[in-house]
Amino acid sequence: MSQKKWHIFLAILSCTLLIYCNTNQPIAETTSQYLNHHPSTKYVGMETCASCHQEIYETFIKTGMGESWYHATPQKSKATFDAHAMVYDSLNNFYYQPYWRNDSMIIKEFRIINGDTTHLKEEHVKYIVGSGQHTNSHLYENNGYLSQAPITFYTQKGIWELAPGFDSKLANRLNRIVGKECITCHNSLPNFVEGSENKYLNVPLGITCERCHGPGEIHVKKKLAGESVDTSKYIDYSIVNPGKLSKELQMSVCQRCHAQGVAILKEDKDFEDFLPGQHLSEVMEVFLPKYDGYQTKFIMASHADRTAMSSCYKKSDMTCISCHNPHVSVKFTPKETFNTACINCHKSPDQNQLLCSLEEMKRMEKGNDCSGCHMPVSTSIDIPNVTIHDHYIRKPIPEDAKKEIEQFIGLANITNPTSTNPLILGKAYLKYFEGFQSEARMLDSAAFYLKKVPNFFDKAEPLIHLHYLQNDLDKVIETSKKININKIKEAWNLYRVGEAFYQKNDMAQAETYFKKALQIKPLNLDFKNKLASVYMQKNDIETAGSLFAQIIEEDDTHIAALNNLGFVSLNLGNLSKAEKLYNKALSINPDYLPALLNKVGLTLLNKDNFKAKKLLRRILQLDPKNEKALFLQKQLRGS
């Protein structure tokens, strides 16, 4: 046998299963010992792990994590595609119909007015997100840019409905971007194009082993070199085994994705930076909404936090893996497994019977199911049409008490509960306002905490964000003038200042800030579109047109750039090109007011007053107080 083959043989012999829960093992209290925390360590992929851990691999790929993300295929989809597979968006007056064209999944969007189809658009679905235990959501891809489709299949109810958050006029049905924060929980680490918001060279197909164990390069090399560790006695520091971490570090692994609230990154950290074996608070601090009363309201992905609220958790060494084997799907885990976890702690003094106040007959009627009573199936406040077991383990709540109205009392820092940092709290309320609850009181809370930050330069950027959300453009500008532009680190804050100057018609300053934002995020196409709009205002048509064309070359569905390039074409006298670009923009969104208004201008140039009046009526249906449309309508009445 050659030396290389002998090393491989030894590696296979020495590979041991990663035990998911064994309290008799040594506990790793610190993170510095793990060799795979070195920044140069590479990820090797799940197939490499499978070469030694085949049995675990075969069960893991059937878990919710293993099935979290895949190509849109008939085999992956858990949805039904019958005559009832139709969703109506009553707010925006669109219908959606999913169907298969051979092996390609298509979502058709259309509108019917007076029996006629006035709008028809088809999108190819690239990926399905979700194992299907609760939902299948759907993603579009265009030149690497990922966005979410407006409809989701809710498997528990067996229905198609609008995707979470799309039941609002504020939701952009065509541009719900799938950014790095989203994808790094719903998938493994993608090949993200830096400088963009949602462009990827490629993405993995599901959450893989290394999300919970860390990069595997060193581990594999050591095994191939014949180095083995007796993991029944010692910790193998070439890879992280969460079962051998301290309680807090174990929970950080789970909290990374099962505590999806408002994540505030630490300075110079990114969503890809967390490694198993770290405290999550080293990379980010996560906030979740809290309510008074019986506290039955919760975000769906808050399992780790709800568990930590439980007396069972507080009074023992319990962690998530005390009940869950992350390598085996809940679907294939017998109920007795979970009951046994309860019984192990809640036994009578003679150790023979479960301590339960419910008489045996009634307990048997309920299937002798501990979690059925103490972790009732509940709805969440953020995902419609799904139910999950509430992981806040406690005595059953009386039925009459469930009718009590629970009021929001604030955001709680679940990764660093003792922290009272007002700067982090202020940022959390700003992000909560944008992502969850757009109420003025959230901005009031942000302002309250930011006032407590003594150093102006520490809070200057959050103040820019706050004033922008308050639509107080004068304060945005006032704040920006107190801080050097080179000290503003976040591209979006540079954009916000640029937009404030743009609205105040200060194009020189707007240009400066938009350019600076683009230096940080050169593939943020909205930033580039605004910079091009500045050149339009400065009558630099050539530069503006070049930038708009660059955007469309990168993403030919960027509706604002299509419309703006149409306007450039109109100014250059190319009326047919302008009309083609306006029509393309309106084929994407027939209610896009800027393109409708520009088409009015085009029809007036063509002296087609009848068509102009028809377009103006359409605009005023969408926006009855539109000043430009009202003015033009009045002018046409007098003609």
Side-chain angles (χ1 to χ4, degrees), residues 101-114:
R101 182 182 292 152
N102 299 321
D103 285 337
S104 295
M105 185 177 174
I106 308 294
I107 293 179
K108 179 169 68 176
E109 175 187 81
F110 60 100
R111 174 179 286 166
I112 298 176
I113 297 178
N114 297 326

Side-chain angles (χ1 to χ4, degrees), residues 15 40-42 106 157 168 177 180 192 224 257 264 324 342 345 353 405 473 569 575:
C15 281
S40 66
T41 311
K42 296 177 182 177
I106 308 294
K157 288 189 175 181
S168 166
I177 70 168
K180 193 184 289 186
F192 178 73
L224 291 177
C257 292
I264 305 299
H324 290 281
C342 298
C345 288
Q353 288 187 327
I405 297 175
L473 301 182
S569 302
L575 274 60

Side-chain angles (χ1 to χ4, degrees), residues 52-96:
C52 283
H53 304 286
Q54 185 67 33
E55 186 176 345
I56 286 179
Y57 171 83
E58 292 296 341
T59 59
F60 177 76
I61 58 174
K62 297 173 183 176
T63 65
M65 290 182 286
E67 294 187 333
S68 61
W69 187 294
Y70 202 72
H71 295 298
T73 64
Q75 294 74 27
K76 167 63 177 172
S77 179
K78 299 296 192 296
T80 57
F81 293 85
D82 54 20
H84 299 289
M86 186 86 72
V87 177
Y88 178 59
D89 177 358
S90 60
L91 287 174
N92 297 295
N93 190 23
F94 289 113
Y95 288 91
Y96 295 96

